[in-house]
Amino acid sequence: MSFELEGPVLEGRLVRLEPLEHRHAAELAVAAEEHRGTYAYTWVPRAHEAGDYVDAQLARAATGRVAPYAQVSLVSGRAVGATAYLDPRSWWNEDRLDAVEVGFTWLAGSAQGTGVNAEAKYLLFRHAFEQWGVSRVDLKTDARNSRSRAAIESVGARFEGVLRNWSRSWAPGEEGRLRDSAVFSITDREWPECRVRLEERVARFRARTT
C-alpha cells in the first residue's frame, strides 16, 4: 500500500484551505475572471470551465496522487483560488511520505498581494513537514513565468534548476507542447528558518487587515 494524499482543512487568519468540492465551482468561476493578465502560463479555468476544472481535479484526487484545495478568503468568505498537494513520493517505506509537491496554484487578481498566498503556503508547508514528516517540498512553474518564480522564492523556496521538456504547457496556443519547468524546494533542515520568515511575513499582512 502506497501513501495516498488526503489533505485536511487548513485554516489561518487570512485564508482557509478547504478540500475542493463542486460547491466551490461558482465562486471559482467568478475569481478566475477577475483579472487574467497574470495567468499566461498557469492552468486557470474560464468561468464556463469551472465545473469541468473541479471534475478534473477530483478525478486526480481519486487516484490518491493529488489533494486539491479551494483557497477561501476569510475576509470575504469566498473561494478566491485553488492550490494542491501532488506527486507524493516514498523512497523506502511506502506507507511513509518522504516528499510532496505544492502546485496547481492560482489566485484571483483581488487576492494577489494580500498575504493569502504566503499564508496558504505556510499552512501547506507546515502540515507537510510537521504532520507528514516529509524531507522536502517541491514547487515547479513554467521557466518563463517570472512572476510565479518570484512568488515561489518569496515564500522561502530555493531554486534548484530547470528541467527541460518536463511537463505539459498551459500557455495559450501551446496545446500538445511541453514546457521547461523551473524547480524549487524546501528541505526539512531549512523548514525551521523558513517557518519563522513566513510567520513574520504573514504577520505583516495580518496587521494591515486589523
Side-chain angles (χ1 to χ4, degrees):
M1 175 180 175
S2 59
F3 189 95
E4 294 188 2
L5 287 177
E6 186 174 350
V9 173
L10 301 173
E11 184 163 346
R13 296 278 296 279
L14 301 173
V15 65
R16 181 172 61 253
L17 302 181
E18 299 178 356
L20 185 65
E21 298 179 5
H22 288 106
R23 63 185 176 85
H24 295 116
E27 292 178 358
L28 291 178
V30 174
E33 293 294 340
E34 278 190 11
H35 174 54
R36 299 193 63 87
T38 62
Y39 301 152
Y41 303 106
T42 306
W43 180 32
V44 182
R46 301 301 310 226
H48 69 279
E49 298 170 332
D52 292 339
Y53 171 86
V54 174
D55 286 340
Q57 288 296 67
L58 292 182
R60 290 179 170 89
T63 70
R65 303 289 297 173
V66 177
Y69 282 102
Q71 301 195 65
V72 177
S73 166
L74 295 182
V75 173
S76 68
R78 299 178 63 85
V80 294
T83 191
Y85 287 119
L86 62 147
D87 192 20
R89 278 107 66 207
S90 300
W91 292 308
W92 291 286
N93 181 343
E94 290 190 351
D95 292 325
R96 180 188 184 280
L97 185 64
D98 292 304
V100 70
E101 182 175 346
V102 169
F104 289 131
T105 301
W106 61 272
L107 279 174
S110 63
Q112 295 175 24
T114 65
V116 167
N117 178 63
E119 188 171 56
K121 292 298 192 298
Y122 169 75
L123 295 170
L124 291 164
F125 295 164
R126 185 179 66 181
H127 185 78
F129 285 115
E130 299 179 14
Q131 299 301 317
W132 286 336
V134 301
S135 296
R136 65 176 276 145
V137 171
D138 309 330
L139 301 98
K140 300 185 183 75
T141 189
D142 192 305
R144 299 167 294 180
N145 193 342
S146 58
R147 184 186 182 95
S148 178
R149 290 176 66 158
I152 291 172
E153 289 183 327
S154 75
V155 296
R158 295 191 182 186
F159 175 61
E160 293 188 331
V162 173
L163 299 175
R164 298 178 297 168
N165 286 350
W166 182 252
S167 62
R168 66 175 291 180
S169 173
W170 297 104
E174 294 187 358
E175 292 77 10
R177 293 177 57 183
L178 297 175
R179 77 178 194 189
D180 294 347
S181 292
V183 182
F184 299 78
S185 72
I186 300 170
T187 69
D188 53 353
R189 291 185 179 182
E190 296 164 347
W191 169 238
E193 180 181 352
C194 178
R195 173 175 178 157
V196 170
R197 290 174 56 192
L198 267 178
E199 287 175 341
E200 292 174 346
R201 186 164 182 238
V202 171
R204 290 194 293 271
F205 280 112
R206 288 174 179 168
R208 299 177 191 175
T209 64
T210 58

